């Protein structure tokens, strides 16, 4: 694993910390490859249920490392996009814990996440237009689905910031917490999620993420194809049994 990313494990939660504070955690090629490796491990390991991504030193991520870009170092991976993540997020739930700036590609990491916990001083933005660039890591494609259309277009056209409080107002973030508390709050949320059925979590995420491209008839059929194996699983029986026995379920992912 690269020094640009610190990976730690808290119970069944994988915490990925971008560790380039001297560059405001701007992502270079090594960081992107490390994130992709950590995401693969999150999906492959049965003992992990939720991922949390954050940044070291009070900043989430300032986007692409422009110095590296000028030297030919690309912070993207074919088929996975910026930071090895935005085009192919993990199958398991991912929470962004945001302190400070989440700009450009950093904002697009938040867009690619399933939930966002932000410090009250956090700022989100897609300033690519100010540099004559286009936010192709999900900003132009997805922001208008996560914010009201006119709000999204203002941010895309002006490159201005969205404060944490305003982001909460629009439903772009799930929690706003005091400065310095984003990771702890994200872990609290992750623990709640991680206590639920892992097969169900993955199925729900897949349905939500993929269904925007389904027709009505296709949606009914494809949702059933994804969900039926979960209903037939040992975990589904364990969930029902644990409820009747008034105890916490013991998931096996089978």
């Amino acid at each position: 694993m690269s020094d640009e990313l610190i990976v730690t494990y808290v119970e069944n939660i994988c915490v990925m910390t971008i560790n380039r504070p001297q560059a405001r955690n701007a992502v270079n090629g090594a960081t992107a490859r490390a994130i992709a490796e950590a995401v693969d491990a999150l999906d492959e390991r049965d003992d992990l249920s939720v991922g949390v991504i954050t940044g070291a030193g009070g900043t989430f991520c300032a986007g692409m490392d422009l110095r590296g870009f000028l030297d030919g170092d690309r912070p993207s991976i074919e088929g996975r996009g910026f930071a090895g993540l935005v085009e192919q997020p993990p199958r398991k739930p991912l929470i962004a814990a945001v302190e400070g700036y989440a700009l450009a590609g950093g904002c697009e990491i938040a867009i690619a996440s399933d939930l966002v916990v932000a410090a009250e001083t956090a700022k989100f933005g897609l300033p690519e237009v100010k540099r004559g660039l286009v936010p192709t890591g999900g900003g132009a494609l997805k922001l208008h689905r996560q914010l009201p259309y006119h709000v999204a277009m203002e941010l895309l056209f002006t490159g201005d910031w969205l404060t944490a409080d305003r982001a909460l107002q629009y439903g772009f973030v799930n929690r706003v917490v005091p400065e310095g508390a984003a990771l702890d709050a994200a872990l609290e949320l992750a623990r709640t999620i991680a206590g639920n059925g892992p097969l169900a979590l993955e199925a729900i995420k897949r349905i939500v993420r993929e269904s925007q491209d389904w027709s009505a008839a296709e949606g009914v059929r494809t949702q059933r194809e994804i969900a039926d194996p979960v209903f037939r699983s040992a975990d589904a029986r364990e969930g029902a049994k644990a409820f009747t026995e008034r105890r916490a379920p013991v998931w096996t992912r089978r």
Side-chain angles (χ1 to χ4, degrees):
M1 189 66 67
S2 169
D3 291 340
E4 274 85 359
L5 187 76
I6 298 172
V7 180
T8 55
Y9 302 99
V10 181
E11 300 155 21
N12 54 348
I13 302 162
C14 174
V15 181
M16 297 165 277
T17 303
I18 302 172
N19 186 38
R20 306 189 74 232
Q22 75 284 357
R24 292 192 175 182
N25 295 322
V27 174
N28 59 10
T31 312
R33 291 187 291 273
I35 292 173
E37 182 181 337
V39 165
D40 284 344
L42 168 63
D43 278 342
E44 292 166 3
R45 287 179 50 173
D46 288 347
D47 61 328
L48 298 175
S49 296
V50 181
V52 174
I53 187 163
T54 191
T59 297
F60 182 68
C61 175
M64 175 174 64
D65 187 326
L66 294 177
R67 290 185 177 86
F69 173 77
L70 293 173
D71 292 335
D73 181 35
R74 297 294 184 266
S76 298
I77 295 177
E78 184 68 28
R80 308 185 74 138
F82 176 78
L85 172 69
V86 299
E87 293 177 13
Q88 189 179 321
R91 295 191 308 272
K92 297 175 182 178
L94 179 66
I95 303 172
V98 179
E99 298 277 353
Y101 295 108
L103 301 179
C107 185
E108 289 171 320
I109 292 174
I111 292 171
S113 299
D114 301 300
L115 302 99
V116 181
V117 175
E120 58 194 3
T121 51
K123 293 182 173 65
F124 302 85
L126 295 164
E128 284 88 342
V129 69
K130 294 178 181 290
R131 303 290 178 262
L133 301 173
V134 177
T136 56
L141 282 173
K142 301 175 182 177
L143 188 65
H144 66 286
R145 297 172 184 158
Q146 299 184 7
L147 288 172
Y149 177 85
H150 294 115
V151 175
M153 296 310 292
E154 178 182 347
L155 293 172
L156 289 164
F157 285 159
T158 65
D160 288 345
W161 295 336
L162 182 68
T163 64
D165 285 343
R166 195 172 174 217
L168 180 66
Q169 174 187 344
Y170 293 129
F172 183 73
V173 305
N174 301 84
R175 308 271 195 281
V176 173
V177 297
E179 184 176 7
L183 179 56
D184 286 343
L187 287 171
E188 180 181 358
L189 183 57
R191 288 186 181 96
T192 299
I193 295 168
N196 296 324
L199 298 178
L201 290 172
E202 291 182 37
I204 289 168
K205 178 167 179 175
R206 183 179 172 193
I207 291 167
V208 171
R209 288 274 178 165
E210 296 180 11
S211 61
Q212 62 190 5
D213 298 321
W214 299 342
S215 66
E218 184 183 15
V220 172
R221 182 183 68 254
T222 308
Q223 176 179 250
R224 184 181 301 118
E225 291 171 355
I226 295 170
D228 279 357
V230 179
F231 280 93
R232 295 194 298 268
S233 69
D235 273 358
R237 292 191 295 275
E238 167 62 11
K241 186 177 181 182
F243 176 79
T244 61
E245 295 176 355
R246 299 176 182 270
R247 61 172 175 81
V250 179
W251 310 116
T252 61
R253 297 186 62 84
R254 292 196 299 271

